[in-house]
Amino acid sequence: MEYLVYRSKALVLPDSASCQSIVAISAMKNLLFGLTGFLHVEDGLFIQYLEGPPRQLWDLYSRLQFDERHTNMKLLGHGELRRPRFRKWSMGYSSSNVMSLKEFMAEATFKKTPEQASCAEAIWFLMGASARIDLGISSSV
């Protein structure tokens, strides 16, 4: 099992039908391909974590590079996993109403911007956002 984290410029708004479609269709397709992950949308930025079998994971990453709903895709990091981090989420989703990446980066990383987030910082943030949803502290919609 492997994981990857990328950042891109979102060309859809968090509350838009296009964004909701990304989440719904991705959840169904990820189930079929044995992938799990989590997407955060905030201030024109996507941060996405994906994990699963290497071939399916990298095939998806290749397809995402041609998705017209975002641009300037940058791979923040990737590696091997012993067990999934997001096993409950075929495609988890959050926006700043769950947890703000901008505030997280400012407080946790000495004033770095969301665009400067490292792979580890992105993973910590997404795990925090998913925990808030799992615990019922916040809703993903």
Side-chain angles (χ1 to χ4, degrees):
M1 172 174 281
E2 293 185 10
Y3 74 92
L4 66 82
V5 180
Y6 75 85
R7 173 186 71 232
S8 63
K9 180 179 182 196
L11 300 177
V12 298
L13 297 172
D15 298 333
S16 70
S18 291
C19 194
Q20 297 307 316
S21 173
I22 290 170
V23 175
I25 292 170
S26 296
M28 289 186 297
K29 286 185 176 182
N30 286 354
L31 278 173
L32 290 173
F33 296 112
L35 299 170
T36 56
F38 204 89
L39 173 68
H40 181 78
V41 184
E42 182 175 337
D43 295 335
L45 185 71
F46 282 149
I47 297 281
Q48 185 164 22
Y49 174 95
L50 294 163
E51 60 191 13
R55 184 170 156 251
Q56 290 88 335
L57 181 70
W58 292 103
D59 284 351
L60 174 58
Y61 183 72
S62 294
R63 288 191 308 275
L64 288 171
Q65 293 181 39
F66 298 101
D67 190 318
E68 295 179 354
R69 296 170 291 191
H70 68 155
T71 188
N72 299 334
M73 211 169 149
K74 180 180 180 187
L75 184 65
L76 299 179
H78 62 91
E80 293 184 14
L81 283 174
R82 285 183 271 180
R83 59 188 165 96
R85 288 185 175 112
F86 291 94
R87 87 183 83 214
K88 289 183 181 180
W89 298 98
S90 60
M91 180 47 61
Y93 171 77
S94 67
S95 63
S96 59
N97 67 330
V98 171
M99 192 167 152
S100 170
L101 178 60
K102 184 177 182 178
E103 290 175 15
F104 173 84
M105 291 301 295
E107 292 175 15
T109 65
F110 305 105
K111 307 285 182 196
K112 285 171 64 177
T113 67
E115 293 79 12
Q116 297 169 316
S118 70
C119 180
E121 291 160 346
I123 291 170
W124 293 330
F125 172 79
L126 294 171
M127 290 177 80
S130 70
R132 289 179 62 85
I133 295 167
D134 287 345
L135 293 170
I137 295 169
S138 193
S139 169
S140 63
V141 287

